[in-house]
Amino acid sequence: EVRLVEYGGGSVQAGGSLTLSCVASGFTFGGSETGWLRQTPGGECELVARIGYDGTYFDESVKGRFTISQDNAKNTVLLYMTRLKPEDTAKYYCVNEAQTSWVIPGLPCDKRSRDFRYWGQGTQVTVST
């Protein structure tokens, strides 16, 4: 069975750190692009970070605080989040290989599974003050 499963969500105080894991089953990340989307309480679905053979991308709001890495041996993509802010509170989704576009304005994350080859169910991150 092909699966993407996220781990590591939870509650953390502002300024703290949290690491999210995306584990693939039935396929390998090598040679493909994998990203993290997040659904904020305000309703916007944002592309937080992306990693592929050609490099990485980070949204301006998380540059310097988040980093992304890929461990092909463990078939895992990690999102390291530090200096967390309340604005980072969101449901985070792991997605692989955009079929249309990585970003589609106005469409919530939970309606975007059709835009990717594989997708996870999401994990909630809550940052308190």
Side-chain angles (χ1 to χ4, degrees):
E1 179 185 3
V2 175
R3 293 191 302 168
L4 276 183
V5 181
E6 301 99 334
Y7 300 94
S11 298
V12 64
Q13 294 182 344
S17 301
L18 206 61
T19 299
L20 304 183
S21 302
C22 177
V23 181
S25 299
F27 76 102
T28 59
F29 284 124
S32 68
E33 288 195 309
T34 303
W36 288 91
L37 307 177
R38 68 182 182 185
Q39 181 67 56
T40 62
E44 182 178 357
C45 182
E46 305 172 334
L47 175 61
V48 178
R50 183 175 64 216
I51 187 169
Y53 67 90
D54 201 34
T56 59
Y57 162 86
F58 297 95
D59 185 80
E60 191 68 28
S61 66
V62 305
K63 282 184 177 178
R65 299 189 299 116
F66 290 13
T67 190
I68 189 169
S69 66
Q70 182 173 308
D71 187 335
N72 290 333
K74 296 181 178 180
N75 216 22
T76 299
V77 170
L78 300 174
L79 183 67
Y80 301 91
M81 305 185 294
T82 65
R83 296 157 54 202
L84 284 162
K85 304 175 180 179
E87 302 94 284
D88 296 318
T89 294
K91 191 170 185 179
Y92 287 71
Y93 297 83
C94 180
V95 295
N96 177 262
E97 288 291 295
Q99 305 298 285
T100 55
S101 178
W102 288 97
V103 178
I104 300 180
L107 196 64
C109 290
D110 62 2
K111 302 293 177 60
R112 295 212 60 204
S113 62
R114 296 173 65 183
D115 296 317
F116 303 94
R117 183 175 65 168
Y118 305 117
W119 62 93
Q121 296 302 305
T123 185
Q124 180 68 38
V125 173
T126 301
V127 183
S128 61
T129 58

